């Protein structure tokens, strides 16, 4: 891959990356590729046993530069414990990959499913990012694993679209209100009526509405953070594509190696001020509309 080009290598074994939800799937593969590139990588997982097994697997592949710590992104105590450990062990980090994510397909209680999806995919990213921000060294990168289901075009209501896309009004409070407004629509049974995203994947038009809204929120947060941190850090999001993981029941047209590629590429882009993007959304290493 292009990141192996020594002329563009800016990192060393002292470069530290953190990946959330990394015991399997795309997260595990991102850890593998970062470690193969020589970055010291912290594999985090909400379940200690599953996380340790994943680390053992990578060590057996010869990757000794992988460490582990428990991290449940929706649990503030877990986040605080992780950050305290990271500070003590590594003093800081250079790359944060917010990968942990869920969908609610298969949940019988759709209201609870929607709360959990928004809680993990949007609020979970904020929990981790806010606590880690003071430890991310200047020039560092934040990469958020998003989805094309979180593009603005999935919204069927112009007012909602305008609310979340007007950059000069964008604030954390506004994004929180946006996702909370969706949760109210779920409670009222008005997802389609209010113009929230629907999709035709053959499993009911509202099956992935919560997932879409969580990733719209994540993309908006990516933009906001990028503008707030413009002189210090680079913040981008990407869609891995339809990737063969447990999330898709093993279906998909991409392998995890392919799905992880754009995230690793964004994390390791050379620090030339010309082509280092921030606040952008990518698919297959190409910028696409938010
Ligand atoms: N696969 C695709 O086609 C696709 C497409 C677009 C975007 N994505 C995104 O890619 C990311 C990775 O998905 P994947 O396909 O690799 O799914 P996956 O195989 O189901 O892996 C998801 C990972 O997230 C972890 N996780 C879930 N909730 C968590 C929480 N509250 N705290 C910490 N970790 C948590 C899971 O841990 P457990 O093992 O403990 O459950 C697992 O390690 C997600 O953000 C997803 O939305 C995937």
């Amino acid at each position: 891959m292009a990141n192996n080009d020594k002329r563009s290598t800016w990192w060393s074994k002292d470069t530290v990356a953190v990946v959330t939800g990394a015991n399997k799937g795309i997260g595990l593969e991102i850890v593998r590729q970062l470690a193969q590139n020589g970055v010291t990588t912290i594999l985090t997982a909400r379940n200690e046993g599953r996380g340790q097994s994943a680390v053992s697997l990578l060590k057996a592949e010869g990757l000794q530069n992988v460490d582990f710590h428990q991290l449940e992104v929706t649990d503030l105590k877990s986040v605080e414990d992780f950050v305290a450990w990271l500070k003590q062990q590594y003093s800081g980090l250079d790359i944060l990959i917010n990968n942990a994510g869920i969908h609610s397909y298969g949940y019988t209680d759709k209201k609870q499913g929607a709360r959990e999806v928004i809680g993990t995919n949007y609020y979970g990213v904020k929990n981790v990012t806010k606590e880690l921000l003071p430890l991310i060294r200047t020039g560092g990168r934040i990469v958020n694993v998003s989805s094309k289901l979180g593009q603005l075009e999935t919204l069927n209501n112009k007012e909602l679209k305008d609310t979340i896309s007007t950059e000069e009004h964008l604030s954390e409070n506004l994004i929180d209100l946006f996702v909370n407004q969706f949760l109210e629509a779920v409670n009222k049974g008005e997802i389609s009526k209010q113009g929230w995203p629907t999709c035709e994947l053959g499993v009911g038009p509202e099956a992935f509405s919560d997932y879409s809204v969580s990733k719209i929120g994540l993309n908006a947060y990516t933009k906001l953070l990028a503008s707030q941190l413009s002189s210090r850090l680079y913040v981008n999001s990407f869609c891995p594509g339809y990737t063969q993981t447990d999330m898709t029941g093993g279906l998909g047209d991409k392998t995890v190696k392919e799905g992880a590629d754009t995230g690793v590429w964004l994390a390791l882009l050379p620090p030339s001020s010309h082509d280092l993007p921030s606040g952008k959304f990518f698919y297959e290493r190409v910028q696409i509309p938010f």
Side-chain angles (χ1 to χ4, degrees), residues 19-262:
V19 186
T20 68
N23 52 288
K24 65 180 184 179
I26 294 163
L28 173 59
E29 180 59 26
I30 290 176
V31 173
R32 178 180 281 118
Q33 292 186 19
L34 287 173
Q36 284 170 343
N37 273 283
V39 174
T40 297
T41 308
I42 321 295
L43 183 157
T44 71
R46 57 179 161 180
N47 179 282
E48 181 97 26
R50 289 198 286 272
Q52 294 283 15
S53 299
V55 170
S56 300
L57 177 80
L58 295 178
K59 293 213 178 214
E61 292 173 13
L63 298 169
Q64 302 309 318
N65 52 346
V66 175
D67 203 348
F68 172 74
H69 200 276
Q70 194 272 347
L71 178 59
E72 158 63 66
V73 302
T74 64
D75 176 357
L76 290 178
K77 171 80 170 57
S78 168
V79 176
E80 281 168 16
D81 287 351
F82 170 66
V83 173
W85 171 85
L86 186 80
K87 194 171 180 180
Q88 198 191 33
Q89 294 293 316
Y90 293 95
S91 75
L93 73 158
D94 305 280
I95 296 166
L96 168 62
I97 314 272
N98 286 306
N99 165 78
I102 57 168
H103 61 56
S104 67
Y105 180 62
Y107 277 55
T108 41
D109 183 343
K110 288 308 282 179
K111 292 176 189 169
Q112 190 197 339
R115 282 195 300 275
E116 288 185 17
V117 168
I118 301 288
T120 304
N121 300 359
Y122 172 64
Y123 286 110
V125 171
K126 289 211 304 174
N127 292 340
V128 173
T129 305
K130 282 182 166 190
E131 288 295 319
L132 280 176
L133 264 183
L135 296 187
I136 306 181
R137 292 183 268 262
T138 300
R141 289 99 197 270
I142 299 174
V143 179
N144 294 325
V145 186
S146 188
S147 167
K148 286 202 268 188
L149 290 178
Q151 281 182 293
L152 286 174
E153 64 180 23
T154 61
L155 283 164
N156 302 311
N157 173 326
K158 186 174 178 311
E159 209 177 308
L160 288 174
K161 217 180 267 186
D162 290 347
T163 305
I164 201 71
S165 64
T166 311
E167 284 187 34
E168 54 273 31
H169 297 151
L170 201 59
S171 68
E172 209 179 314
N173 190 38
L174 185 141
I175 310 171
D176 288 359
L177 285 172
F178 178 85
V179 300
N180 293 342
Q181 193 182 338
F182 168 74
L183 291 175
E184 282 170 28
V186 176
N187 287 338
K188 288 186 191 157
E190 293 185 356
I191 295 176
S192 302
K193 187 177 165 198
Q194 290 187 18
W196 294 98
T198 51
C199 63
E200 281 315 329
L201 296 176
V203 287
E206 296 179 357
F208 291 95
S209 301
D210 48 13
Y211 184 81
S212 275
V213 172
S214 73
K215 298 296 191 182
I216 292 173
L218 178 58
N219 283 348
Y221 183 59
T222 303
K223 270 182 108 89
L224 178 68
L225 211 53
S227 69
Q228 290 171 342
L229 300 169
S230 63
S231 55
R232 202 168 86 73
L233 304 178
Y234 302 92
V235 191
N236 294 289
S237 59
F238 80 102
C239 174
Y242 187 32
T243 306
Q244 298 147 13
T245 66
D246 285 353
M247 178 172 274
T248 62
L251 298 175
D253 46 34
K254 290 193 186 300
T255 62
V256 280
K257 193 171 176 194
E258 292 164 336
D261 173 75
T262 299

